[in-house]
């Protein structure tokens, strides 16, 4: 694969012209990475710096070039070829292969951060792409943190993005980023949510407290942003109760839907801290599935339960909610959730019980769920008998029960 330095300046293999028109140069980073390039006549320093940024990941504004032990060509518009030629002429035969060392420097970036407009924004961009390669990022973190309150939303957004990359673990930055969840600009809030992802893992105690405080905010979009950030943290039982309270009582459909998504993120990969937390999450999701007035929230809760897979505790939570639900439509939705969990014996038992439900739609949903799960679980004579019993006891579901029993028999010839 051709190196970006080779593409922009010219690799050694590309030196095919007259010797007086090309100079071989070794470029070395402070990490020990090195590459030899062929500098052609007319090449400027800016081209070399762009190539170094592409190859070594050091932004142009953070580069200082040194030839030997001396600074080399601070002006990006200078002619690189002519400067190298003069150096080689002065050094004689000992300077036939000049070596440039790339030093990471924040001097220009810090100066530009005090400027205005696009100069300041590009300095923040450079910080974000520098990540933590520079040793002296502590000063830059403090400057970027102050810019989170800049009048320009673009500067605030880029400051949050830069902090996501160069944050060095201090609590003050975590609190400042959490405060950005209240920003009136959606772009700044999104950048803050992304920036809090690493803080939620490395400084969980501070991040959880700061984000949880915003989940009770009076403004809906602040609660929504806090819930989006909440998906990155490992929750406790108390914090799950807060999310469940938002799911149950928030007047905005979009906030309740994000709360359901946050709960799903807790379940995915078993990121919760214990069985009590899992049970609380399952119960809250089942309640939303059965009772939420918004179809979108119901669908989100159903999708969240589908992520659980073969969790018996989830099946018990759905069955518990089912026993306390009177509306046939809600019972049908809960039976559908049981069908997605039917890889467990617990779910199968509850689905079989639903075959005797007084409402035909619920019986049909249970019959369909059992039939769909037959191949995944294996042969269960009790299930087949329960389905056939539904044919005799509830003629309203006769056709579907017969079809389900037939599919069970095909999937399990031993029945």
């Amino acid at each position: 694969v051709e190196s970006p330095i080779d593409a922009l300046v010219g690799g050694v293999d590309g030196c095919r012209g007259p010797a007086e028109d090309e100079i071989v140069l070794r470029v070395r980073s402070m990490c020990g990475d090195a590459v030899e390039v062929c500098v052609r006549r007319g090449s400027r320093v800016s081209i070399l710096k762009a190539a170094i940024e592409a190859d070594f990941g050091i932004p142009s504004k953070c580069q200082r070039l040194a030839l030997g032990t001396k600074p080399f060509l601070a002006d990006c518009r200078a002619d690189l070829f002519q400067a190298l030629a003069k150096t080689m002429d002065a050094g004689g035969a000992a300077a036939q292969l000049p070596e440039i060392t790339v030093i990471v420097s924040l001097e220009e970036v810090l100066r530009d951060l005090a400027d205005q407009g696009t100069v300041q924004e590009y300095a923040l961009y450079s910080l974000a792409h520098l990540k933590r390669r520079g040793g002296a990022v502590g000063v830059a973190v403090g400057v970027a943190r102050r810019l989170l309150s800049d009048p320009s939303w673009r500067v605030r957004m880029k400051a949050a993005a830069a902090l996501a990359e160069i944050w060095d673990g201090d609590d003050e930055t975590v609190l400042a980023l959490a405060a950005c969840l209240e920003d009136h600009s959606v772009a700044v809030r999104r950048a803050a949510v992304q920036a809090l992802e690493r803080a939620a893992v490395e400084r969980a105690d501070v991040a959880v407290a700061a984000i949880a405080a915003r989940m009770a905010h009076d403004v809906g979009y602040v609660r929504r942003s806090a819930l989006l950030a909440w998906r990155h943290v490992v929750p406790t039982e108390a914090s799950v109760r807060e999310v469940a309270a938002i799911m149950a009582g928030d007047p905005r459909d979009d906030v309740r839907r994000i709360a359901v998504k946050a709960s799903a993120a807790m379940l995915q990969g078993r990121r919760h801290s214990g069985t009590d937390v899992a049970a609380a999450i399952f119960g809250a999701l089942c309640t939303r599935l059965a009772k939420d007035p918004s179809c979108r929230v119901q669908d989100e809760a159903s999708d969240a339960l589908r992520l659980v897979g073969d969790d018996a505790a989830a099946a018990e939570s759905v069955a518990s909610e089912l026993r306390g639900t009177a509306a046939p439509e809600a019972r049908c939705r809960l039976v559908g959730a049981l069908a997605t969990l039917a890889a467990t014996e617990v779910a199968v038992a509850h689905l079989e019980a639903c075959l005797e439900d007084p409402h035909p739609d619920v019986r049909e949903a249970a019959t369909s769920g059992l039939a769909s799960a037959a191949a995944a679980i294996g042969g269960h004579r009790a299930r087949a008998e329960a389905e056939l019993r539904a044919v005799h006891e509830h003629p309203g579901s006769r056709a579907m029960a017969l079809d389900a029993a037939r599919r069970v028999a095909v999937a399990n010839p031993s029945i």
Side-chain angles (χ1 to χ4, degrees), residues 352-353 355-356 382-394:
E352 289 174 348
L355 290 171
E356 300 180 0
R383 180 175 63 245
E385 289 175 353
E387 290 179 329
L388 292 174
R389 186 170 64 249
V391 176
H392 298 289
E393 295 177 2
H394 305 287

Side-chain angles (χ1 to χ4, degrees), residues 61-62 64 105-114 122-124 126-127 140:
K61 276 188 173 291
C62 300
R64 287 292 177 272
S105 170
L106 296 178
E107 180 183 351
E108 185 177 353
V109 170
L110 292 174
R111 184 179 66 246
D112 290 349
L113 285 175
Y122 187 67
L124 288 167
S126 299
L127 273 183

Side-chain angles (χ1 to χ4, degrees), residues 164-181:
E165 301 295 343
I166 64 173
W167 173 65
D168 54 359
D170 64 296
D171 294 347
E172 191 176 351
T173 298
V174 178
L175 296 174
L177 287 170
C180 287
L181 298 175

Side-chain angles (χ1 to χ4, degrees), residues 306-338:
R306 189 175 295 115
L307 292 174
V308 177
D310 58 350
D311 198 307
E316 286 290 0
S317 296
V318 176
S320 176
E321 187 70 34
L322 186 60
R323 286 190 291 270
T325 302
E329 297 84 358
R331 294 207 307 278
C332 283
R333 291 195 295 271
L334 289 168
V335 170
L338 271 179

Side-chain angles (χ1 to χ4, degrees), residues 16-142:
R16 296 288 183 267
E20 62 271 14
D21 291 335
E22 296 169 336
I23 298 174
V24 177
L25 169 70
R26 180 182 291 117
V27 180
R28 185 183 301 277
S29 74
M30 296 297 290
C31 299
D33 301 324
V35 63
E36 291 184 4
V37 296
C38 181
V39 179
R40 298 189 177 95
R41 185 178 294 277
S43 298
R44 296 191 178 275
V45 175
S46 58
I47 297 177
L48 179 62
K49 284 195 168 187
I52 291 172
E53 178 174 356
D55 213 51
F56 293 157
I58 304 172
S60 297
K61 276 188 173 291
C62 300
Q63 296 175 23
R64 287 292 177 272
L65 304 182
L67 186 62
T69 59
K70 297 180 180 180
F72 181 71
L73 292 181
D75 186 3
C76 289
R77 296 169 296 182
D79 191 312
L80 175 63
F81 182 88
Q82 287 186 4
L84 289 173
K86 289 180 181 179
T87 302
M88 293 175 66
D89 290 343
Q96 288 304 309
L97 187 61
E99 180 174 295
I100 286 182
T101 303
V102 185
I103 303 169
V104 177
S105 170
L106 296 178
E107 180 183 351
E108 185 177 353
V109 170
L110 292 174
R111 184 179 66 246
D112 290 349
L113 285 175
D115 208 319
Q116 299 290 329
T118 55
V119 174
Q120 192 178 58
E121 291 178 26
Y122 187 67
L124 288 167
Y125 163 86
S126 299
L127 273 183
H129 284 72
L130 178 64
K131 301 184 185 296
R132 283 174 283 182
R133 293 187 182 90
V137 296
V139 177
V141 169

